[in-house]
mmCIF file of all heavy atoms in Angstrom:
data_model
loop_
_atom_site.group_PDB
_atom_site.id
_atom_site.type_symbol
_atom_site.label_atom_id
_atom_site.label_comp_id
_atom_site.label_asym_id
_atom_site.label_seq_id
_atom_site.Cartn_x
_atom_site.Cartn_y
_atom_site.Cartn_z
ATOM 1 N N ALA X 114 -13.122 35.589 -5.720
ATOM 2 C CA ALA X 114 -12.019 36.417 -5.225
ATOM 3 C C ALA X 114 -11.378 35.731 -4.039
ATOM 4 O O ALA X 114 -11.950 34.812 -3.449
ATOM 5 C CB ALA X 114 -12.527 37.802 -4.815
ATOM 6 N N SER X 115 -10.185 36.196 -3.704
ATOM 7 C CA SER X 115 -9.464 35.582 -2.587
ATOM 8 C C SER X 115 -9.183 36.610 -1.503
ATOM 9 O O SER X 115 -9.330 37.822 -1.711
ATOM 10 C CB SER X 115 -8.155 34.971 -3.086
ATOM 11 O OG SER X 115 -7.288 36.001 -3.531
ATOM 12 N N ALA X 116 -8.798 36.090 -0.362
ATOM 13 C CA ALA X 116 -8.317 36.923 0.739
ATOM 14 C C ALA X 116 -7.387 36.060 1.573
ATOM 15 O O ALA X 116 -7.466 34.831 1.527
ATOM 16 C CB ALA X 116 -9.468 37.454 1.575
ATOM 17 N N VAL X 117 -6.524 36.726 2.320
ATOM 18 C CA VAL X 117 -5.537 35.997 3.097
ATOM 19 C C VAL X 117 -5.564 36.509 4.533
ATOM 20 O O VAL X 117 -5.694 37.715 4.762
ATOM 21 C CB VAL X 117 -4.124 36.187 2.508
ATOM 22 C CG1 VAL X 117 -3.106 35.339 3.268
ATOM 23 C CG2 VAL X 117 -4.108 35.850 1.042
ATOM 24 N N THR X 118 -5.461 35.596 5.473
ATOM 25 C CA THR X 118 -5.358 36.020 6.871
ATOM 26 C C THR X 118 -3.941 36.477 7.154
ATOM 27 O O THR X 118 -3.032 36.255 6.358
ATOM 28 C CB THR X 118 -5.662 34.851 7.828
ATOM 29 O OG1 THR X 118 -4.604 33.886 7.700
ATOM 30 C CG2 THR X 118 -6.995 34.185 7.489
ATOM 31 N N ARG X 119 -3.742 37.089 8.304
ATOM 32 C CA ARG X 119 -2.372 37.316 8.768
ATOM 33 C C ARG X 119 -1.744 35.963 9.079
ATOM 34 O O ARG X 119 -2.428 34.939 9.146
ATOM 35 C CB ARG X 119 -2.363 38.195 10.015
ATOM 36 C CG ARG X 119 -2.994 37.527 11.242
ATOM 37 C CD ARG X 119 -2.538 38.217 12.546
ATOM 38 N NE ARG X 119 -3.352 37.816 13.691
ATOM 39 C CZ ARG X 119 -3.215 36.659 14.345
ATOM 40 N NH1 ARG X 119 -2.323 35.767 13.958
ATOM 41 N NH2 ARG X 119 -3.995 36.380 15.374
ATOM 42 N N LYS X 120 -0.439 35.964 9.301
ATOM 43 C CA LYS X 120 0.224 34.724 9.690
ATOM 44 C C LYS X 120 -0.287 34.251 11.042
ATOM 45 O O LYS X 120 -0.442 35.068 11.960
ATOM 46 C CB LYS X 120 1.741 34.929 9.759
ATOM 47 C CG LYS X 120 2.400 34.943 8.403
ATOM 48 C CD LYS X 120 3.916 34.886 8.523
ATOM 49 C CE LYS X 120 4.532 35.029 7.128
ATOM 50 N NZ LYS X 120 6.002 34.988 7.160
ATOM 51 N N LEU X 121 -0.522 32.993 11.162
ATOM 52 C CA LEU X 121 -0.923 32.433 12.449
ATOM 53 C C LEU X 121 0.322 32.113 13.271
ATOM 54 O O LEU X 121 1.404 31.865 12.710
ATOM 55 C CB LEU X 121 -1.723 31.146 12.236
ATOM 56 C CG LEU X 121 -3.213 31.294 11.914
ATOM 57 C CD1 LEU X 121 -3.408 31.840 10.507
ATOM 58 C CD2 LEU X 121 -3.931 29.960 12.065
ATOM 59 N N SER X 122 0.174 32.124 14.565
ATOM 60 C CA SER X 122 1.219 31.530 15.401
ATOM 61 C C SER X 122 0.904 30.033 15.483
ATOM 62 O O SER X 122 -0.244 29.616 15.285
ATOM 63 C CB SER X 122 1.241 32.148 16.797
ATOM 64 O OG SER X 122 0.468 31.376 17.692
ATOM 65 N N ALA X 123 1.911 29.263 15.748
ATOM 66 C CA ALA X 123 1.703 27.817 15.831
ATOM 67 C C ALA X 123 0.645 27.469 16.874
ATOM 68 O O ALA X 123 -0.096 26.494 16.734
ATOM 69 C CB ALA X 123 3.022 27.113 16.152
ATOM 70 N N SER X 124 0.547 28.270 17.908
ATOM 71 C CA SER X 124 -0.433 27.996 18.963
ATOM 72 C C SER X 124 -1.868 28.175 18.480
ATOM 73 O O SER X 124 -2.799 27.637 19.073
ATOM 74 C CB SER X 124 -0.193 28.931 20.156
ATOM 75 O OG SER X 124 1.041 28.644 20.756
ATOM 76 N N GLU X 125 -2.048 28.947 17.424
ATOM 77 C CA GLU X 125 -3.411 29.211 16.948
ATOM 78 C C GLU X 125 -3.939 28.131 16.020
ATOM 79 O O GLU X 125 -5.150 27.997 15.826
ATOM 80 C CB GLU X 125 -3.449 30.573 16.238
ATOM 81 C CG GLU X 125 -3.223 31.747 17.187
ATOM 82 C CD GLU X 125 -3.078 33.077 16.460
ATOM 83 O OE1 GLU X 125 -2.467 33.101 15.352
ATOM 84 O OE2 GLU X 125 -3.544 34.099 16.982
ATOM 85 N N ILE X 126 -3.025 27.355 15.441
ATOM 86 C CA ILE X 126 -3.444 26.370 14.441
ATOM 87 C C ILE X 126 -4.357 25.313 15.060
ATOM 88 O O ILE X 126 -4.038 24.734 16.092
ATOM 89 C CB ILE X 126 -2.204 25.708 13.792
ATOM 90 C CG1 ILE X 126 -1.424 26.748 12.972
ATOM 91 C CG2 ILE X 126 -2.620 24.537 12.905
ATOM 92 C CD1 ILE X 126 -0.131 26.235 12.379
ATOM 93 N N GLY X 127 -5.491 25.113 14.424
ATOM 94 C CA GLY X 127 -6.421 24.094 14.902
ATOM 95 C C GLY X 127 -7.245 24.516 16.099
ATOM 96 O O GLY X 127 -7.927 23.695 16.714
ATOM 97 N N ARG X 128 -7.174 25.810 16.416
ATOM 98 C CA ARG X 128 -7.892 26.320 17.579
ATOM 99 C C ARG X 128 -8.859 27.427 17.142
ATOM 100 O O ARG X 128 -8.820 27.880 15.998
ATOM 101 C CB ARG X 128 -6.891 26.830 18.613
ATOM 102 C CG ARG X 128 -6.156 25.658 19.306
ATOM 103 C CD ARG X 128 -5.117 26.161 20.277
ATOM 104 N NE ARG X 128 -4.613 25.084 21.151
ATOM 105 C CZ ARG X 128 -3.494 25.165 21.862
ATOM 106 N NH1 ARG X 128 -2.747 26.253 21.814
ATOM 107 N NH2 ARG X 128 -3.112 24.156 22.624
ATOM 108 N N PRO X 129 -9.722 27.888 18.067
ATOM 109 C CA PRO X 129 -10.731 28.892 17.676
ATOM 110 C C PRO X 129 -10.156 30.132 17.017
ATOM 111 O O PRO X 129 -10.802 30.723 16.144
ATOM 112 C CB PRO X 129 -11.411 29.215 19.016
ATOM 113 C CG PRO X 129 -11.302 27.942 19.805
ATOM 114 C CD PRO X 129 -9.947 27.384 19.437
ATOM 115 N N ALA X 130 -8.945 30.521 17.412
ATOM 116 C CA ALA X 130 -8.350 31.715 16.811
ATOM 117 C C ALA X 130 -8.253 31.571 15.300
ATOM 118 O O ALA X 130 -8.478 32.524 14.542
ATOM 119 C CB ALA X 130 -6.963 31.958 17.411
#
Side-chain angles (χ1 to χ4, degrees):
Chain X
S115 66
V117 184
T118 68
R119 67 160 167 78
K120 282 191 185 180
L121 278 71
S122 94
S124 294
E125 292 172 323
I126 294 176
R128 287 177 168 163

